[in-house]
Amino acid sequence: MFLRLKARASYWLARRLFHWSWFVRQPRGWRWLEGQFARMANLGDVGAQSFYGHILTFRGVGLGAREEGVRLLRLAALAGDGKAAYQVGVISLAGTPSKAPDPSEAARWWTMAAKAGHPLAELKLKELAGRDASR
């Protein structure tokens, strides 16, 4: 119980420090921030999974970081996070080095995102349906 409370407090502080560019530019500061984000994501916090998943997917260094980011985004999306579901749909349509583009999987994720209230998911679904109809 105490460790979970400590993790939440550290995560809260890390989210605040994340907006201080001078702290983020420091290698030790960035490593500490990443540790707090990773700890909360591993504890199953959906918001942390989505946040850290986005960071790793779009700013991570190396293929392993990006794959971990996509994994965290999928976990958050399955837990009901609309932003994460939308992003997984975008990644599914674009494909990854380890997976070919899959429009049907993208549609499934965007449907989940639309149900969660993501504003662009409906537009992407319509775009995808129009693209399929023109073939």
Side-chain angles (χ1 to χ4, degrees):
M1 167 99 167
F2 174 72
L3 293 178
R4 194 172 278 276
L5 182 62
K6 180 182 172 189
R8 286 199 181 283
S10 296
Y11 179 72
W12 178 85
L13 178 61
R15 286 295 300 256
R16 299 307 170 272
L17 291 173
F18 181 73
H19 298 288
W20 294 10
S21 61
W22 65 268
F23 188 79
V24 172
R25 284 191 302 251
Q26 305 301 317
R28 284 182 65 194
W30 179 247
R31 281 193 306 271
W32 183 81
L33 289 175
E34 275 196 308
Q36 304 318 304
F37 299 153
R39 180 168 46 170
M40 276 307 285
N42 288 335
L43 287 174
D45 184 87
V46 175
Q49 288 172 339
S50 178
F51 179 73
Y52 192 45
H54 277 89
I55 289 174
L56 288 175
T57 301
F58 298 106
R59 301 281 186 215
V61 177
L63 184 59
R66 290 191 176 97
E67 292 291 327
E68 176 66 7
V70 172
R71 185 187 75 82
L72 289 172
L73 286 174
R74 278 195 177 104
L75 288 173
L78 290 172
D81 187 283
K83 186 176 177 185
Y86 174 80
Q87 217 47 64
V88 173
V90 170
I91 292 166
S92 296
L93 188 61
T96 64
S98 62
K99 194 170 181 188
D102 188 354
S104 62
E105 185 179 348
R108 185 173 64 90
W109 289 110
W110 286 333
T111 301
M112 289 173 74
K115 287 179 184 173
H118 194 281
L120 296 176
E122 282 290 328
L123 293 173
K124 286 290 191 178
L125 282 169
K126 289 177 186 174
E127 237 177 65
L128 192 60
R131 196 174 95 179
D132 288 341
S134 66
R135 288 185 180 181

